[in-house]
Amino acid sequence: MKRSSQVLITALISILFSACILIGQSYDSMGNWELILGSSRRVVISGIKFGGMAFIAFGALNFLYGRLEKYKLREKTDYKINEIIFEHHPVFCPWIIIAIAWLPNYIIYFPGCMTADAMKQLEQFLTGQFTNHHPIFTTLIEGFFVSIGRKAGNMELGIALYLGIMLMAISLIFAQGFHWMYKHNVSYKIRWIGLTFFCIFPIWSAYARTLVKDILYYPVFYIFVLMIFDAVIEEDIFFRDKRKAAKLLLVSIILCLMRHNGIYVTLGTFLGMTVFCKKYRRQCFMFFVIMFLFWKCYGSVISICGVEPGGKQEMLSIPFQQTARYLKYHGKEVTQEEQQVINNVLDYRNIAKNYNPNLSDPVKDTYKKKDKYLSDYFKVWWKQLKKHPGTYIQATLNGTYGYYSYKEEVKNPYGYYKQPVCFIPYQKKYSIRFNDSFRKQRVIFEKVLHKTFNIKILRILLQPAFYNWIYIVLLGFFVQSRRMRKYWIVFIPFIVSFLLCIASPVNGDTRYMLPLSCTWILYLAFISNRLEEEQLEIVKRKEKIGV
């Protein structure tokens, strides 16, 4: 007989999954919920689809969770290649294999791929007019290497040097995950899946040779997740070891310096651990306090140094998009007073015209940085919400469904393969061109990519939603299982990161998903290890009582 907790969690995930798929289908094809609610006939069809998908999902999850609950210890296969790669050299071998697999992408796109954000950061570094819109720390790192090339008379040299170092560093960090799997006796199957994924999936080799701030963030997030695993599994050892605690704190600080999102990930994680790690609640709370004070002090220090703070518009994509959609569809109902209040914050004349449901930049970039008017704006926002709540809901669904449902057009699905030639700064200062010697190879490589990922089953790997649902299914297992429930807190970095993606300015952007796309394999390893350890404990208890 199934436990009530398992039935409840399985039913909730199944219902949520079915609803999300239907929402995605409607917005991806029509840009609204008309495919679901447009007529009584569509409501009936949607209801039948919903019931069918929920039923199938419920059965599949029941089967999966049942198999995991009955997990039995298995002997590891002792093939020589497994021992050489994963046992004798658990860091060096995966590192070299991944680096070699990425090298062709680096060579044929030499010296590397520029991005619009990187050019803006280089402009700041070269002019000395710094802002913290993009993390100042990443601006300084990128600018330092580019300046080396400029001093040598060849900016491309500096970019190639930086990206070559990043390729080796990121592959080394990914190799640390296999060292963790080695220490925790994780199944070879999971190790091979991870190694194959990092070597073959093109997004990793592409980003390793792309000048973009994210390549400094997701590797640190990867290390942060591994350290949280250790803190939860070996809490007695971890929190009594000052070195390990100091390393976690240092990694947390670096995570915040590499991307502003890092502060939400660290604070959310340490707050969750404070509540649920009862034995070491005081230490977790101290981590929370230290990170909070660090972030406040850091903001003050860079302001004193003349760095202009980033605008609040980065946190306001959702309400700004809701206002833009409201003006587009209900503009005639807006009073002159409301127009003035909105215009104090945003460009009232253009936001409805420029509204893009999948991208908030055309709206939020009109933010006038007059924070004092935000309170009045939110009063109008609330008033309009009460008039047309459906418009607000639709704006949010239309701008987020790519993170929890299928999206036909995903932005940069396997990384950057073109230079941003349309940007004026690129044309004037940063005209980095790929090596002409490999033009044919680039054409062939991109054709192979397109053909490969036109295969429907492989297209799933390009979907941000695919990885998020892996996390949700795994989290559901931990929550519904009595013996495994205590480990659910390792999913807090995922929960916070997922919410940050929902609040991001781009719908279904693989770049924002990089931290989660690279750590799902770690969570598979974690669940494998916990099931193995739980079974060992059961065996030991039986041996003690002589069963």
Side-chain angles (χ1 to χ4, degrees):
M1 187 175 178
K2 301 287 184 184
R3 296 194 318 273
S4 58
S5 61
Q6 181 176 332
V7 173
L8 177 62
I9 296 299
T10 305
L12 285 174
I13 294 176
S14 303
I15 291 168
L16 183 63
F17 174 77
S18 304
C20 287
I21 295 300
L22 285 176
I23 288 168
Q25 287 176 347
S26 186
Y27 281 95
D28 204 43
S29 60
M30 302 184 72
N32 53 46
W33 56 28
E34 290 297 303
L35 196 61
I36 303 171
L37 305 174
S39 66
S40 56
R41 180 174 174 273
R42 285 178 175 175
V43 170
V44 171
I45 292 172
S46 297
I48 294 170
K49 284 183 178 179
F50 174 82
M53 284 191 292
F55 179 77
I56 294 169
F58 184 83
L61 284 176
N62 253 329
F63 175 77
L64 175 63
Y65 289 169
R67 289 293 298 271
L68 290 174
E69 286 287 358
K70 295 174 183 176
Y71 180 88
K72 292 181 180 179
L73 293 172
R74 292 182 175 87
E75 292 288 332
K76 287 202 301 182
T77 53
D78 57 351
Y79 295 122
K80 194 70 176 177
I81 191 170
N82 290 341
E83 292 182 10
I84 293 171
I85 295 175
F86 298 120
E87 300 293 335
H88 299 330
H89 307 285
V91 174
F92 181 77
C93 280
W95 176 32
I96 295 303
I97 290 169
I98 294 170
I100 291 173
W102 291 357
L103 202 55
N105 201 324
Y106 176 81
I107 292 171
I108 65 175
Y109 288 91
F110 189 88
C113 197
M114 290 288 286
T115 60
D117 284 353
M119 285 186 288
K120 293 172 185 176
Q121 290 181 272
L122 294 178
E123 277 292 285
Q124 291 179 35
F125 186 87
L126 297 175
T127 61
Q129 297 176 344
F130 293 104
T131 78
N132 202 35
H133 175 75
H134 303 292
I136 184 65
F137 209 79
T138 63
T139 300
L140 294 174
I141 293 172
E142 292 171 359
F144 170 75
F145 282 96
V146 172
S147 67
I148 291 176
R150 285 173 65 91
K151 288 177 182 177
N154 187 343
M155 186 169 61
E156 294 182 358
L157 176 65
I159 292 172
L161 173 64
Y162 171 65
L163 294 177
I165 291 172
M166 289 308 302
L167 184 149
M168 297 304 295
I170 296 169
S171 54
L172 176 60
I173 287 173
F174 281 175
Q176 300 304 314
F178 297 97
H179 185 249
W180 189 92
M181 295 179 205
Y182 158 74
K183 288 195 304 180
H184 293 84
N185 201 33
V186 172
S187 162
Y188 286 133
K189 288 181 181 178
I190 292 176
R191 300 192 216 185
W192 276 113
I193 291 170
L195 188 60
T196 304
F197 177 68
F198 287 133
C199 287
I200 295 178
F201 193 48
I203 198 169
W204 305 119
S205 58
Y207 270 98
R209 52 96 180 117
T210 300
L211 194 66
V212 64
K213 60 181 180 285
D214 301 82
I215 64 174
L216 291 164
Y217 178 71
Y218 66 81
V220 185
F221 183 91
Y222 186 91
I223 294 294
F224 179 78
V225 166
L226 287 175
M227 298 194 78
I228 294 300
F229 285 176
D230 287 339
V232 172
I233 293 173
E234 306 166 345
E235 56 180 3
D236 287 334
I237 298 172
F238 192 93
F239 287 106
R240 290 176 183 175
D241 189 329
K242 292 181 180 179
R243 286 186 179 180
K244 288 186 176 180
K247 285 179 182 177
L248 176 58
L249 198 59
L250 178 62
V251 168
S252 301
I253 289 171
I254 295 172
L255 190 70
C256 298
L257 293 175
M258 296 305 165
R259 196 174 178 93
H260 304 321
N261 293 353
I263 190 60
Y264 302 110
V265 173
T266 55
L267 289 181
T269 302
F270 293 140
L271 183 61
M273 293 174 70
T274 299
V275 175
F276 296 101
C277 290
K278 296 179 181 178
K279 195 172 180 181
Y280 293 96
R281 183 171 288 168
R282 184 174 61 85
Q283 289 90 331
C284 294
F285 183 67
M286 283 301 299
F287 281 168
F288 176 85
V289 171
I290 290 170
M291 291 308 302
F292 179 81
L293 293 176
F294 160 75
W295 194 245
K296 288 293 182 183
C297 294
Y298 175 67
S300 300
V301 169
I302 62 174
S303 294
I304 292 170
C305 293
V307 178
E308 184 182 337
K312 291 185 177 180
Q313 70 271 19
E314 297 305 313
M315 301 181 291
L316 299 173
S317 287
I318 289 177
F320 285 174
Q321 287 289 86
Q322 290 167 338
T323 295
R325 192 174 182 113
Y326 186 96
L327 297 184
K328 182 174 181 177
Y329 294 106
H330 313 290
K332 293 180 180 179
E333 299 178 26
V334 181
T335 65
Q336 286 189 342
E337 183 183 351
E338 289 173 341
Q339 289 180 23
Q340 184 57 49
V341 170
I342 294 170
N343 195 56
N344 287 335
V345 177
L346 301 166
D347 183 357
Y348 179 85
R349 289 185 179 182
N350 292 312
I351 58 174
K353 180 176 64 177
N354 296 340
Y355 171 64
N356 179 343
N358 289 293
L359 179 67
S360 71
D361 287 355
V363 174
K364 73 179 178 66
D365 286 351
T366 71
Y367 181 62
K368 298 177 180 179
K369 296 187 179 181
K370 296 179 180 178
D371 296 348
K372 62 182 179 180
Y373 293 117
L374 281 175
S375 59
D376 292 333
Y377 162 77
F378 276 109
K379 289 176 184 176
V380 171
W381 176 87
W382 177 250
K383 185 178 176 181
Q384 293 175 342
L385 167 63
K386 290 188 289 184
K387 282 185 180 180
H388 295 285
T391 300
Y392 276 41
I393 294 170
Q394 292 220 63
T396 304
L397 294 176
N398 208 160
T400 61
Y401 73 87
Y403 293 110
Y404 47 79
S405 186
Y406 182 83
K407 191 172 189 292
E408 184 64 31
E409 293 184 11
V410 176
K411 187 177 180 183
N412 300 317
Y414 22 79
Y416 292 83
Y417 292 83
K418 306 292 181 186
Q419 300 288 12
V421 293
C422 60
F423 285 86
I424 294 174
Y426 174 83
Q427 297 166 6
K428 289 184 176 180
K429 291 185 180 180
Y430 307 106
S431 185
I432 306 301
R433 302 192 183 280
F434 298 134
N435 192 325
D436 284 339
S437 303
F438 298 104
R439 183 178 296 175
K440 288 183 180 179
Q441 287 83 352
R442 287 195 294 273
V443 171
I444 294 170
F445 182 68
E446 289 173 31
K447 281 183 179 179
V448 170
L449 278 184
H450 293 313
K451 284 185 178 180
T452 302
F453 288 101
N454 272 333
I455 301 170
K456 286 190 176 181
I457 195 166
L458 293 179
R459 283 181 68 83
I460 295 173
L461 294 173
L462 305 178
Q463 295 292 319
F466 172 71
Y467 302 99
N468 287 328
W469 279 107
I470 289 176
Y471 285 102
I472 292 169
V473 169
L474 293 179
L475 174 59
F477 172 72
F478 279 99
V479 173
Q480 62 84 41
S481 174
R482 289 175 186 171
R483 61 195 176 101
M484 303 291 282
R485 195 171 295 157
K486 59 188 174 182
Y487 298 118
W488 79 269
I489 55 176
V490 300
F491 284 86
I492 295 177
F494 154 69
I495 294 169
V496 176
S497 297
F498 174 71
L499 293 175
L500 289 168
C501 285
I502 294 295
S504 71
V506 187
N507 179 22
D509 191 343
T510 53
R511 184 166 67 87
Y512 293 129
M513 276 294 298
L514 289 172
L516 299 180
S517 299
C518 72
T519 49
W520 67 275
I521 192 67
L522 299 182
Y523 281 84
L524 281 184
F526 181 84
I527 194 172
S528 171
N529 169 255
R530 290 299 85 203
L531 288 169
E532 190 89 11
E533 291 298 318
E534 289 292 323
Q535 284 299 316
L536 285 172
E537 285 296 319
I538 291 171
V539 170
K540 287 178 182 178
R541 284 198 295 268
K542 285 181 178 180
E543 288 176 350
K544 273 189 176 181
I545 61 176
V547 176

